[in-house]
Amino acid sequence: MIRSTTTAALPAALALVAGLALGGCSSAGPADGAPRPEVSGAFIPEPVNADMAGGFLTVTNAGDAGDALTSVTSDLSDDVQMHETKDRKMRQVESFDLPAHGELRLERGGSHLMFMELKRTVKQGDKVRIELHFEKSDPIEVEVPVEARTHNPQRSGEHSGHDAHGQPQQHDGTRH
């Protein structure tokens, strides 16, 4: 009698374990409707003065839901601003959209970060810690290298303050 009960219970137990294992695998898959931001290519050009610095990076979202970059904090500055460039004019913004299966590019001549009232002088070879804060996703900490003033991985020879055609950009009056 013990033998027949054990034999009948074994297939049921195996089916239950298999069902739990398969259910666990699918719940955290890429189709869960969550954003999945990742940061790459971050750098800060060596500042030309002791007051402020620019910051550039790419945030890629491999997730099925969009998100928004809402703020950035740093050990370099208590005032990290997000700026966008439209119609060759820069202005401070409250957030940047991060589309599902898309990317947010902060680059020279376009949208970027501004580190205001620097706490210390940084030079090429130094590292700066930043933390990106999102509307939906957990914060991401990044150690950002300080590169040469002319460093530009996207367009060689382009200088800050000029657009992709070499024309000077106008500014809306916000201090840089």
Side-chain angles (χ1 to χ4, degrees):
M1 189 98 132
I2 295 175
R3 187 177 249 176
S4 65
T5 305
T6 305
T7 306
L10 185 60
L14 289 175
L16 179 61
V17 169
L20 289 173
L22 290 174
C25 289
S26 64
S27 67
D32 64 359
R36 298 191 186 287
E38 292 185 14
V39 178
S40 64
F43 73 97
I44 295 172
E46 185 175 313
V48 295
N49 62 50
D51 295 332
M52 67 191 85
F56 308 97
L57 53 85
T58 299
V59 182
T60 304
N61 181 5
D64 289 331
D67 206 343
L69 178 63
T70 57
S71 67
V72 178
T73 55
S74 174
D75 66 339
L76 182 61
S77 169
D78 289 331
D79 183 13
V80 182
Q81 300 177 2
M82 298 184 296
H83 291 193
E84 73 175 359
T85 302
K86 284 192 177 180
D87 300 323
R88 295 176 29 188
K89 292 184 181 181
M90 288 182 264
R91 69 179 183 99
Q92 186 174 352
V93 296
E94 295 298 316
S95 65
F96 287 119
D97 288 334
L98 178 59
H101 301 287
E103 68 181 13
L104 166 62
R105 288 178 139 331
L106 303 181
E107 58 190 353
R108 288 185 186 262
S111 297
H112 58 279
L113 301 176
M114 285 303 302
F115 299 82
M116 310 302 286
E117 300 177 22
L118 304 181
K119 294 179 183 179
R120 66 180 190 278
T121 302
V122 293
K123 60 184 189 285
Q124 185 176 353
D126 291 345
K127 303 275 186 189
V128 173
R129 284 188 329 248
I130 67 170
E131 186 171 88
L132 286 77
H133 301 270
F134 298 91
E135 184 176 72
K136 299 174 185 172
S137 302
D138 290 337
I140 297 176
E141 288 189 17
V142 181
E143 191 169 82
V144 181
V146 177
E147 300 287 355
R149 289 183 179 141
T150 58
H151 178 77
N152 191 353
Q154 301 301 319
R155 297 178 196 99
S156 61
E158 184 178 313
H159 298 287
S160 180
H162 292 79
D163 67 13
H165 304 288
Q167 299 298 314
Q169 292 178 331
Q170 297 176 354
H171 200 274
D172 67 357
T174 304
R175 190 178 133 235
H176 270 259

